[in-house]
Amino acid sequence: MAVPVIDFSKLNGDDRGRTLGEIANACQEWGFFQLVNHGIPVELLERVKKVSSEFYKLEREENFNKSKGMELLDKSVESLEDSDWEDVVTLLDDNEWPSNTPGFQETMKEYRFELKKLAEKVMQVMDENLGLPKGYISKAFNDGDGENAFFGTKVSHYPPSPHPEKVKGLRAHTDAGGVILLFQDDKVGGLQVLKDGQWIDVQPLPNAIVINTGDQIEVLSNGQYKSAWHRVLSSVDGNRRSIASFYNPSLKATIAPAPQLIEKTKQLGQTYPKFVFGDYMSVYVQQKFLPKEPRFQAVRAT
């Protein structure tokens, strides 16, 4: 069993119908898939790898090695249940970015521009596969027309762990938001997705972009597309790079199942609640690593 790998360029040719079907199946059965030939220049991706590695070594590694997690592991705690073996910095349009690594800001700005365009293309494919008007998901996330959706990028590194049996790189969770686009390490694995009760490796595939669906896609699709549980294992070898970009609703956006999809699933008695995304996030930050169904129930009640 392997996470689907889909050639995104085939949407533009005779294989469009089959490729749409592959993406629909991946969204329904996995909530995870890898895109190749996605249109992001390889030269840009190579620069992203370079500046990310240099950034970690120049600006992050020393502090991580002095961190509380390292200290606790060294004191031979049985396990760190409430911690992740992860160094992370978040890039937004309006926050302060690291400035000591040559080329980092320029490269990551260009990368984010390309990833946002890819996210919008992926959402349009989801619209088409779900039978929704073109732009439906984007409009829901942007709270109407305009550019109000959240687009953030997490630059993470999972350094070698002296005791991988004691701490996860990142604990199991589903993502709160919409569409997540991950540029993961070419060589160092560790990402796993839960499929039919089994943890399946998301194999490193050079210059692929891993797509996964978040909780809000599950709600908008009225459960046709489920958000998938995933985690990152820590390892004694290698420093795993992971750059995840999140296309999420505006905090003010109202999220609800698309009316067309409520009709389709009425006979199953399956309906998700309507809520303001900011209210959902207030619940999520408290319950990220817990089952997701109570989160939906909590916002239903507010």
Side-chain angles (χ1 to χ4, degrees):
M1 197 174 350
V3 173
V5 177
I6 297 170
D7 185 340
F8 204 54
S9 68
K10 291 192 173 178
L11 282 174
N12 300 319
D14 294 340
D15 288 333
R16 178 176 175 78
R18 187 174 71 182
T19 307
L20 285 169
E22 288 175 356
I23 295 172
N25 184 67
C27 290
Q28 289 166 353
E29 300 298 327
W30 285 86
F32 255 80
F33 53 98
Q34 303 209 57
L35 286 185
V36 296
N37 297 324
H38 38 61
I40 299 171
V42 170
E43 176 272 333
L44 173 58
L45 295 176
E46 292 299 330
R47 276 193 284 132
V48 169
K49 294 175 199 176
K50 181 175 183 289
V51 297
S52 299
S53 297
E54 290 171 353
F55 159 67
Y56 179 76
K57 290 221 165 284
L58 275 172
E59 302 190 49
R60 307 293 293 185
E61 186 171 39
E62 186 177 347
N63 283 340
F64 187 86
N65 290 335
K66 295 175 182 174
S67 66
K68 187 179 179 184
M70 186 73 83
E71 188 183 321
L72 289 171
L73 273 192
D74 285 345
K75 289 180 178 175
S76 66
V77 174
E78 275 190 32
S79 65
L80 300 181
E81 296 292 341
D82 298 323
S83 299
D84 301 307
W85 194 257
E86 176 188 35
D87 177 80
V88 60
V89 61
T90 301
L91 309 178
L92 308 173
D93 286 339
D94 58 356
N95 71 337
E96 188 175 345
W97 289 23
S99 57
N100 295 331
T101 303
F104 181 85
Q105 291 191 0
E106 298 85 347
T107 299
M108 295 309 295
K109 184 177 181 181
E110 186 180 345
Y111 173 76
R112 276 171 47 79
F113 177 78
E114 293 292 337
L115 261 285
K116 189 173 183 182
K117 286 196 300 184
L118 180 59
E120 288 163 350
K121 290 176 186 173
V122 169
M123 289 189 295
Q124 286 178 7
V125 170
M126 291 180 180
D127 290 333
E128 186 171 348
N129 277 332
L130 289 166
L132 298 173
K134 184 176 181 179
Y136 184 96
I137 295 173
S138 175
K139 194 169 183 178
F141 286 0
N142 282 284
D143 194 27
D145 296 318
E147 295 281 331
N148 303 309
F150 171 92
F151 188 71
T153 299
K154 271 178 51 182
V155 180
S156 299
H157 286 86
Y158 300 92
S161 168
H163 300 287
E165 75 284 357
K166 293 182 181 180
V167 63
K168 295 280 189 302
L170 183 59
R171 288 163 284 168
H173 64 288
T174 65
D175 289 321
V179 174
I180 299 85
L181 306 93
L182 171 69
F183 183 33
Q184 68 165 344
D185 203 284
D186 285 353
K187 296 173 183 171
V188 184
L191 176 62
Q192 295 184 321
V193 58
L194 190 64
K195 165 73 170 157
D196 299 333
Q198 293 181 56
W199 286 105
I200 307 295
D201 292 331
V202 182
Q203 294 288 359
L205 188 61
N207 296 328
I209 299 293
V210 181
I211 307 292
N212 73 279
T213 48
D215 294 346
Q216 306 316 303
I217 293 291
E218 180 167 335
V219 174
L220 277 170
S221 71
N222 203 31
Q224 289 191 46
Y225 294 172
K226 295 287 198 300
S227 59
W229 284 87
H230 52 287
R231 68 183 184 184
V232 177
L233 301 182
S234 55
S235 165
V236 291
D237 300 313
N239 181 14
R240 180 177 177 272
R241 180 196 67 252
S242 170
I243 303 172
S245 297
F246 299 79
Y247 195 112
N248 290 353
S250 156
L251 290 175
K252 295 178 181 177
T254 297
I255 302 298
Q260 304 92 315
L261 303 180
I262 293 176
E263 288 302 315
K264 283 184 184 176
T265 53
K266 241 180 191 173
Q267 63 272 30
L268 303 174
Q270 180 182 31
T271 356
Y272 284 75
K274 177 180 180 179
F275 52 83
V276 174
F277 181 61
D279 293 339
Y280 185 83
M281 282 305 297
S282 298
V283 174
Y284 180 86
V285 294
Q286 303 293 327
Q287 301 182 17
K288 175 176 179 177
F289 303 107
L290 300 174
K292 62 184 171 182
E293 290 74 15
R295 301 197 294 256
F296 295 138
Q297 294 305 320
V299 285
R300 187 192 296 274
T302 59

